[in-house]
Amino acid sequence: MLAAERRDHLLGLLAREGKIVAKDVAADLGISEDSVRRDLRDLAAEGLCQRVYGGALPVSPAIADYTARQSVTPDGKRRIAAVAAALVRPGSAVILDGGTTALAVAHALPPDLACTVITHSPTIAAALLDHPRAEVFVLGGRLFKHSAVTCGAAAVEAAQNVSADLCLLGVTGVHPEAGLTTGDADEAAMKRALAARAADTYVLASSEKIGTASRFRVLPWEDVSGLITDADPRHPVLDRLAAHGVEILAAG
């Protein structure tokens, strides 16, 4: 099989199965695992897959900068935001992650809602200026401009000194095996710190993130209360997650 044919085969397998296991592909094609790994390195260099131990997973498309991501699936994000905002009870404290879906949640909160919002995102804080009954606490640290959030040691330390009823967390990848992932190590550490300070954590994930993975793991599935997504409820990844006990809140 020529290199171009192997490439097409691998991309097709990734689309159908949601993962590539190098040793299985090598056995099926009668080639060495080294050849498969070389092919996967080439695909990863083109941004077409996320390499993991033993193979590869679909790469998350949510890697553009903050401004560009604002125009990606805005309707889906608004539907997710409506479901997420309904989880914020009067008088409660919520940790609201950064990102474009979390920003939609901030806009979806009722203007007269009395609550406490803890965030490491200056854009979230600014969006709540017209919510007179919402107390807003901003966690400081190094500004990670890609996602318009603070990260690093100072931000993690600040997060460890708060507590909340609910955490609404954004990620770039949602995969049954890889778990919840994002593209930056410091941002992943900050997300873990935030989730650890809430009684319940719900993940916000628009449809293009379902079944994909990024480089850095945020949390395993057992550490979250549920997933809020606008993806088709019949999506095979959602079926697998539900079978493992993950609560799926559909934002249809």
Side-chain angles (χ1 to χ4, degrees):
M1 182 179 285
L2 299 175
E5 294 174 321
R6 293 202 309 272
R7 172 193 171 94
D8 291 342
H9 177 77
L10 291 171
L11 291 174
L13 186 63
L14 202 60
R16 292 191 306 272
E17 303 295 333
K19 65 178 179 180
I20 292 172
V21 179
K23 66 177 182 179
D24 292 346
V25 172
D28 289 343
L29 300 183
I31 60 178
S32 69
E33 285 189 47
D34 283 343
S35 295
V36 177
R37 284 194 286 269
R38 282 195 296 271
D39 291 339
L40 293 180
R41 281 197 295 271
D42 291 342
L43 291 176
E46 296 178 49
L48 297 176
C49 73
Q50 175 62 54
R51 293 182 67 208
V52 296
Y53 180 78
L57 298 174
V59 69
S60 172
I63 55 176
D65 63 27
Y66 186 85
T67 301
R69 295 202 311 276
Q70 289 181 308
S71 62
V72 177
T73 60
D75 291 338
K77 291 173 182 177
R78 281 192 289 269
R79 291 194 295 271
I80 292 169
V83 174
L87 297 177
V88 183
R89 304 302 181 193
S92 68
V94 56
I95 295 172
L96 188 50
D97 193 10
T100 55
T101 307
L103 182 60
V105 175
H107 289 306
L109 292 174
D112 61 346
L113 179 65
C115 65
T116 298
V117 178
I118 302 164
T119 184
H120 64 316
S121 167
T123 56
I124 298 293
L128 294 171
L129 288 174
D130 59 353
H131 289 62
R133 302 186 66 194
E135 291 285 350
V136 181
F137 287 84
V138 183
L139 305 176
R142 179 183 62 85
L143 185 65
F144 179 47
K145 294 181 180 180
H146 178 271
S147 298
V149 294
T150 60
C151 292
V156 169
E157 183 177 4
Q160 292 169 344
N161 291 302
V162 301
S163 294
D165 303 286
L166 175 68
C167 177
L168 297 173
L169 196 70
V171 296
T172 60
V174 174
H175 194 277
E177 297 171 11
L180 302 159
T181 55
T182 195
D184 180 81
D186 284 346
E187 189 176 19
M190 186 63 186
K191 290 177 185 293
R192 283 193 295 274
L194 294 172
R197 303 308 303 166
D200 290 299
T201 295
Y202 282 84
V203 175
L204 314 172
S206 45
S207 57
E208 76 278 6
K209 300 173 183 177
I210 304 300
T212 71
S214 295
R215 187 172 301 278
F216 298 100
R217 189 180 190 182
V218 177
L219 291 170
W221 285 107
E222 55 266 25
D223 287 354
V224 301
S225 302
L227 171 70
I228 307 173
T229 182
D230 65 321
D232 188 329
R234 297 166 296 181
H235 195 295
V237 168
L238 299 186
D239 287 341
R240 290 178 62 186
L241 294 177
H244 285 86
V246 179
E247 182 185 8
I248 309 294
L249 300 184

